[in-house]
Amino acid sequence: MKAMTYRGPYKLRVEEKPDPKIEHPNDAIVRVELAAICGSDLHLYHGMMPDTRVGHTFGHEFIGRVEQVGSSVQNLKVGDRVMVPFNIFCGSCFFCSRGLFSNCHNVNANATAVGGIYGYSHTAGGYDGGQAELVRVPFADVGPAVIPDGVNPEDALLLTDAFSTGYFGAQLADIVEGDTAVVFGAGPIGLAAARSCWLMGAGRVIVVDYLDYRLRKAEEFAHAETINFGQVNDIVLELKKQTGGLGADVVVEAVGAEADGHIMQHVTAAKLKLQGGSPVALNWAIDSVRKGGTISVMGAYGPLFSAVKFGDAMNKGVTMRMNQAPVKRQWPRLLEHIAAGHIKPSEMITHRIPLEHIAEGYHIFSSKLDDIIKPVITVA
């Protein structure tokens, strides 16, 4: 099969790899039709995440057709068109039984925190991902779901991570009706979080970024107010001014490890790898949320130390909630919202790129060229 393979920081190519095989009776093999490049894939591409091995295939957002099933699979059959959550989970361990699918205890021998993730280095289990023609799907009776009739395939694709994660970020913020919500980051997860804050009852939504084209998308897609932090002297002071001097009721941090805004933090994290990620956006969130407010952290960070202003968070009585999104938990409600016309996740897609040109897609996305928001990879 053809698959994207990692060759080192900023280097990847499409090459032939052996077709995946059924390794367990509950496996399925899925022929990928659509995949996506996620902002967290860029952390791998840039060499930010440890134990990202040469030859690994990225891609944790994908849909496709079931081509083969193991002998114990009962919920899927060959030919089913499925969406696959980025979490790999067993469905029966201590954590899965509590709905914490992203923390499954049985799918990742290399970590005590996160469970398994497709295409996300060996710190997340070492599973090859969906930026390929075929992918092995473990626990096929638990994770994947048949795409309902009438659901646009591209909408289904964005439920496998981006929109589900943004929705989860708004959930974790515990929004009370009328709250002012600030979202740091106008990438796909930030856009989805901002749109979802309205669904949770927010009375005001403000999105912060430094790229004008992404802020325009936040106004159009998420119906949010916007602030370009590069055009104000102090983003925290500006947000305090915008919220009557108190700060936001809730903040969603949707930036993560490669946040801009502080040159030393960015260099020590993104360039020198001395931190698990630049904590700029997270520290802004701590400073700009009101006392007693809530911060929801959706940005991806590595497992190393980061210089977070934890003392300030404690002294302000801030609640901080975070996790990798348990994607499948969000699907029933999100499918209802799609059916009702409240959301159309595929409106975030700006680029459709054939698998053979995926290296160019990564370059465009990494360099933020051509007003890119969300790139989709066409495979089948």
Side-chain angles (χ1 to χ4, degrees), residues 178-203:
D179 273 354
T180 294
V182 169
V183 177
F184 283 101
I189 289 173
L191 292 172
R195 183 69 176 263
S196 298
C197 285
W198 295 117
L199 299 174
M200 305 292 169

Side-chain angles (χ1 to χ4, degrees), residues 343-380:
I343 58 172
K344 187 167 179 55
S346 58
E347 290 176 349
M348 295 194 293
I349 296 170
T350 54
H351 291 65
R352 295 164 180 84
I353 301 162
L355 177 63
E356 56 266 31
H357 299 309
I358 194 171
E360 179 68 8
Y362 267 87
H363 170 67
I364 294 169
F365 199 27
S366 172
S367 302
K368 299 179 174 65
L369 303 175
D370 197 30
D371 289 0
I372 193 166
I373 298 286
K374 184 64 174 179
V376 165
I377 304 303
T378 55
V379 182

Side-chain angles (χ1 to χ4, degrees), residues 67 87 96 109 158 161 167 291 303 308 345:
E67 185 151 295
N87 322 109
C96 287
L158 292 197
D161 178 11
Y167 186 78
K291 288 177 278 189
V308 177

Side-chain angles (χ1 to χ4, degrees), residues 29-98:
I29 304 298
V30 171
R31 181 165 292 278
V32 178
E33 295 180 341
L34 295 173
I37 304 174
C38 179
S40 57
D41 288 330
L42 295 182
H43 302 328
L44 299 171
Y45 178 64
H46 296 157
M48 286 288 296
M49 294 298 161
D51 207 9
T52 304
R53 302 183 187 181
V54 169
H56 195 55
T57 295
F58 298 167
H60 54 267
E61 300 176 278
F62 60 93
I63 65 169
R65 299 266 182 193
V66 176
E67 185 151 295
Q68 188 179 356
V69 295
S71 58
S72 68
V73 174
Q74 298 179 0
N75 296 335
L76 298 180
K77 63 183 184 301
V78 172
D80 281 343
R81 195 180 212 182
V82 294
M83 50 189 190
V84 182
F86 79 81
N87 322 109
I88 301 170
F89 57 99
C90 72
S92 59
C93 70
F94 177 92
F95 300 100
C96 287
S97 66
R98 287 157 176 79

